[in-house]
Structures are given as structure tokens and as C-alpha cells.
Amino acid sequence: MLNLVLFGPPGSGKGTQSNNLIKDYHLIHLSTGDLLRNEIAEGTELGLKAKEIMAEGLLVPDKVVIGMIKKKLENNKAAKGFIFDGFPRTVAQAEALDEALTSMDAHISGMIELKVGQEELEKRLLLRGTESDRPDDADIVVIRKRINEYISKTVPVAEYYKQQGKLRSVSGMGKVEDIFDSVKELVNSL
Ligand code: B4P
């Protein structure tokens, strides 16, 4: 199994590069952001709770996202592998993912970190805010809160995988196709 974690701050291109990777590597794309937005669209109890938290730019509780991911893993036992996009976002989520994969006799093959400066992140998210109906992209105060959440709660996840020798970093600045070439090179070296 090839199991990849796509890592980086909001707006670094995780979703964009995941969409390219699934086509070439035939992996299952698990984006906790997309799963949460689906719950919101369907008006579920979980979605109603997540909606307010996401609109504020905060992380949804670990228990909720871990439960969603475990369900997806259980339903896709025959998969060639997974791309985890936007998950894990805390060390507790990373530990829970390791535990769930171990129980399937699998493990994370590597983490690909996309490095992008704050000014560019803000520019990309504000642009998406004008093109989509994501409320968390519409307000610079919320965008900065998401970046701060990333720095305080998510950056330690990179250290978690670094200690396992699984962290690979690439510049996420420039053309999407050029970044994808660099990402593929890293994936092929795993
Ligand atoms: P996500 O859906 O993961 O959203 P994101 O971090 O903004 O990244 P995304 O993948 O969508 O954007 P991308 O960088 O591809 O999370 C949203 C919220 O859900 C979180 O704030 C949180 O509340 C909650 N959540 C999700 N997962 C959670 C978890 N595990 N635990 C707790 N809470 C969780 O792209 C951004 C934009 O940049 C796009 O418009 C794209 O077209 C553009 N772009 C990409 N690459 C580019 C490039 N090279 N040049 C120019 N533009 C580019």
C-alpha cells in the first residue's frame, strides 16, 4: 500500500496536488475538509456543529475527524493506498492514524510538505473566496486565524513524521504543474 500525507498550511495546494496524485497513482483521496463540507451540505448533526467551528477558522475536535477517517478506512480495505489531505492536523490525529493503519497491517509511506509563504497563502485563499462559496476564505481575519491554528497545532505533526524519517519537503510556490513534477519525484523515491 502507498499511503501519503499531503501537508502544508491552508492554501498551500494540498487539495490541488492531491487531485493530480490520485489520477497518476490510483489512490483514494481522503480530505477531511471535503468530508466536513459534505456533512454541512447534507445538514447532518455533525455538519451543523462543524459549520460554526470552520467558519471561525478553528480546528474541528479530534474525536470527530478521527471517527470520519476510521470509517473511510474500514470501508476501503481493498484500496491500493490513500492520500490523506488536511489530515492529520494534530499530533493526536497522527497517533490515531498510525494506530488505525497498524490494525490494517499498513503504515504511512511518507509525508509531503508543501512550503508556501504567508503572503502568497493569503492571496490564494482570498482569491478562492471570490470564486467559491467557502465562508472561511471570504474574510482575512478568519484566514489569518486558520494560519495561526496551523502554526500552533499542526506544525508539530511535521516533527512527528520527521522523527520517523518520513518527512519530505518541496516548494509549493510557482506553477501547479512544476510543483506536481517535484511532488511526483518525491513520491517515486519513497
Ligand atoms: P481544508 O479543506 O483542508 O482547507 P485548506 O487547508 O484551506 O486547504 P485546501 O486543500 O482546500 O486548499 P489548497 O491548499 O489546495 O480545511 C478547511 C477547514 O476544515 C479547516 O480550517 C478546519 O476547520 C477543518 N478541518 C479540516 N481537516 C481537519 C482536521 N483534520 N482536523 C480538524 N479540523 C479540520 O488550495 C488553496 C487555493 O490555492 C485554491 O484556490 C487553489 O486553486 C490555489 N492554488 C493551489 N496551488 C496553487 C499554485 N501553485 N499557485 C497558485 N494558486 C494555487
Side-chain angles (χ1 to χ4, degrees), residues 103-164:
S103 74
M104 294 167 67
D105 224 4
H107 60 272
I108 290 296
S109 315
M111 167 191 261
I112 313 282
E113 177 191 25
L114 296 165
K115 285 180 154 321
V116 176
Q118 178 148 350
E119 206 180 314
E120 173 71 10
L121 297 175
E122 291 180 4
K123 207 172 82 186
R124 287 183 191 178
L125 294 173
L126 282 173
L127 179 68
R128 185 169 62 183
T130 64
E131 295 165 344
S132 74
D133 57 359
R134 274 183 61 163
D136 56 342
D137 284 341
D139 180 347
I140 189 66
V141 175
V142 173
I143 288 172
R144 291 193 175 139
K145 213 189 250 183
R146 284 158 66 198
I147 296 172
N148 286 339
E149 283 276 272
Y150 171 79
I151 293 167
S152 63
K153 296 180 184 153
T154 308
V155 165
V157 177
E159 186 57 34
Y160 177 87
Y161 287 102
K162 191 176 172 190
Q163 280 175 13
Q164 296 185 12

Side-chain angles (χ1 to χ4, degrees), residues 9-16 31-34 36-37 53-54 57-60 65 85-89 93 120 124-125 128 134 136 146 172 174-176 179:
S12 55
K14 301 181 296 286
T16 307
S31 156
T32 37
D34 287 347
L36 289 165
R37 281 185 289 276
I53 300 172
M54 289 167 76
L58 300 171
L59 291 185
V60 172
V65 280
D85 162 10
F87 180 89
R89 260 176 156 99
Q93 292 179 19
E120 173 71 10
R124 287 183 191 178
L125 294 173
R128 185 169 62 183
R134 274 183 61 163
D136 56 342
R146 284 158 66 198
K175 285 191 189 154
V176 170
I179 298 164

Side-chain angles (χ1 to χ4, degrees), residues 6-72:
L6 251 281
F7 186 80
S12 55
K14 301 181 296 286
T16 307
Q17 296 300 331
S18 294
N19 284 330
N20 285 335
L21 280 166
I22 48 168
K23 287 182 205 138
D24 277 29
Y25 294 87
H26 311 291
L27 303 173
I28 291 186
H29 182 196
L30 292 183
S31 156
T32 37
D34 287 347
L35 292 173
L36 289 165
R37 281 185 289 276
N38 287 344
E39 296 279 345
I40 293 172
E42 285 168 15
T44 64
E45 199 182 322
L46 191 160
L48 288 175
K49 280 187 201 148
K51 188 177 178 180
E52 281 177 34
I53 300 172
M54 289 167 76
E56 273 187 64
L58 300 171
L59 291 185
V60 172
D62 285 340
K63 209 175 142 199
V64 174
V65 280
I66 290 167
M68 283 192 326
I69 287 287
K70 277 190 174 166
K71 207 159 113 190
K72 287 283 169 189

